[in-house]
Amino acid sequence: MTQAEPRLTSLAHGGGCGCKIAPDVLREILAGTPQAGPFASLMIGRETSDDAAVWRLNDSQALVATTDFFMPMVDDPFDFGRIAATNALSDVYAMGATPIFALAIVGMPIGKLSVGTIGKVLEGGAAVCAAAGIPIAGGHSIDSVEPIYGLVALGLVHPDKVLANRTARAGDILILTKPLGVGVLSAAFKQGRLDDAGYDALIGSTTRLNTLGARLPDMAGVHAVTDVTGFGLLGHALEMARGSGVALDVDADAPACLPSSAALAEAGVRTGASVRNWAAYGDAVTLPDGFADWRRDLLTDPQTSGGLLIAVAEDQAREVLELARSLGFLDARPVGRVIEGPAGVTVTQRP
């Protein structure tokens, strides 16, 4: 009798963007490493924790480069590949760029997973890249204790149209294009508490390419963009606030949530990453008095392949929302605003 293969998630200590090193630990690690030297063509490095590096090629082209990979958050290998690839390409779109090609990053426990299962992971990634109109032109693979998959993603954008997380302006409206709750649903999946509708919603959100980002540079009112991933909405909003030298006011009731995620969060379902996130940056976030822990958990919930957080001039916000919804981001909505003040995030709650 052939022994059944183990579930993908059983081979990983974490999954999706919940695997990311906590932001405070990451800052401590990076503090001891030298900054990139004075390279005139390096437009964006790691100074403000932006989504990708940007290198000016010439007067009309800049190269956007990023890499993203993680362990599985679902057991279906094809879905795992799709989620990981979508998440990696999101960083290119968040900079306003159009992807041009990708390289695969593959680490698999050879002998525990069959060649067929590993092939399905790669097929999932290739399917997403095909949908984005790019090839996976190569990559690198290793025999790893835990299954790992992701991409090096490269894109192009005009140097004058790069979108960064450090250029939000006071008065801007904040728009979030995808619902929250990915981490909660993935935790519920591992606990056997996620129904079919919840799983479908999870896959639908995490495999939707953030193609909207490549359209935003041509909208004059768009000032700053980042994608919301492993540090949660509050963590990535805080990066935008610090990079831009402004304060962000986030409406606790405004973000959409994936079906059943709020109820599951209220029932105590959360990821360890959500707890680590709050411990890492909670001192820079002001919450309303009596704010429920489960509501905070949703705002710090790690979003694998999450939505774009867009800072846009108030008079252009409706146009951005209409474009987002026309591209299928039906849950896109305003979630706060940028205000004058010390860099930080304040969460407000309607009475």
Side-chain angles (χ1 to χ4, degrees):
M1 180 180 296
T2 303
Q3 185 175 359
E5 284 190 56
R7 295 171 56 191
L8 284 179
T9 53
S10 73
L11 298 173
H13 77 282
C17 284
C19 298
K20 291 179 74 167
I21 296 173
D24 58 337
V25 177
L26 182 60
R27 283 198 305 273
E28 184 177 353
I29 293 170
L30 293 177
T33 62
Q35 292 282 348
F39 295 97
S41 294
L42 183 61
M43 297 178 62
I44 296 179
R46 59 179 176 86
E47 297 80 14
T48 61
S49 302
D50 219 322
D51 298 299
V54 182
W55 184 271
R56 181 189 294 270
L57 296 175
N58 51 51
D59 289 343
S60 61
Q61 292 178 313
L63 179 68
V64 174
T66 184
T67 183
D68 217 312
F69 52 89
F70 46 62
M71 285 83 80
M73 56 188 285
V74 295
D75 291 318
D76 184 282
F78 187 75
D79 284 345
F80 171 36
R82 293 167 66 206
I83 293 168
T86 306
N87 180 74
L89 292 176
S90 180
D91 286 337
V92 173
Y93 290 123
M95 307 303 293
T98 298
I100 53 174
F101 72 91
L103 305 173
I105 299 169
V106 183
M108 293 290 160
I110 304 301
K112 291 185 178 180
L113 294 177
S114 69
V115 171
T117 294
I118 296 170
K120 284 292 184 183
V121 176
L122 273 61
E123 286 179 26
V128 164
C129 287
I134 64 169
I136 297 180
H140 185 65
S141 60
I142 61 169
D143 187 349
S144 171
V145 174
E146 296 182 277
I148 297 169
Y149 181 70
L151 300 176
V152 174
L154 302 172
L156 291 175
V157 64
H158 193 286
D160 296 336
K161 295 185 176 182
V162 175
L163 298 175
N165 69 355
R166 62 191 184 194
T167 45
R169 303 179 187 178
D172 284 349
I173 299 296
L174 296 171
I175 292 173
L176 181 63
T177 61
K178 286 188 184 181
L180 302 178
V182 169
V184 171
L185 294 191
S186 65
F189 172 77
K190 292 179 182 178
Q191 296 171 20
R193 300 173 64 175
L194 188 65
D195 59 20
D196 289 345
Y199 183 82
D200 290 345
L202 175 66
I203 299 302
S205 179
T206 55
T207 58
R208 179 177 294 280
L209 286 163
N210 280 324
T211 52
L212 168 66
R215 302 278 294 274
L216 295 177
D218 293 325
M219 305 183 77
V222 174
H223 296 143
V225 179
T226 190
D227 64 342
V228 177
T229 54
F231 300 156
L233 174 59
L234 294 183
H236 293 285
L238 183 58
E239 289 179 339
M240 182 179 285
R242 286 171 169 165
S244 305
V246 294
L248 268 59
D249 190 333
V250 174
D251 182 345
D253 300 303
C257 290
L258 289 167
S260 76
S261 60
L264 286 164
E266 191 170 7
V269 177
R270 64 182 181 182
T271 68
S274 178
V275 178
R276 292 194 301 273
N277 282 342
W278 181 248
Y281 55 68
D283 59 346
V285 177
T286 302
L287 296 178
D289 291 338
F291 197 64
D293 287 349
W294 69 269
R295 294 176 65 84
R296 183 197 68 202
D297 289 342
L298 280 173
L299 296 178
T300 60
D301 188 52
Q303 300 305 289
T304 302
S305 191
L308 299 178
L309 181 65
I310 304 165
V312 55
E314 187 169 7
D315 61 354
Q316 297 293 313
R318 180 181 293 276
E319 186 177 350
V320 171
L321 281 170
E322 290 175 351
L323 176 61
R325 290 166 181 165
S326 73
L327 294 175
F329 296 92
L330 303 182
D331 289 301
R333 60 189 61 183
V335 296
R337 65 174 53 246
V338 182
I339 57 177
E340 297 281 1
V345 176
T346 297
V347 177
T348 57
Q349 188 172 17
R350 294 192 294 268

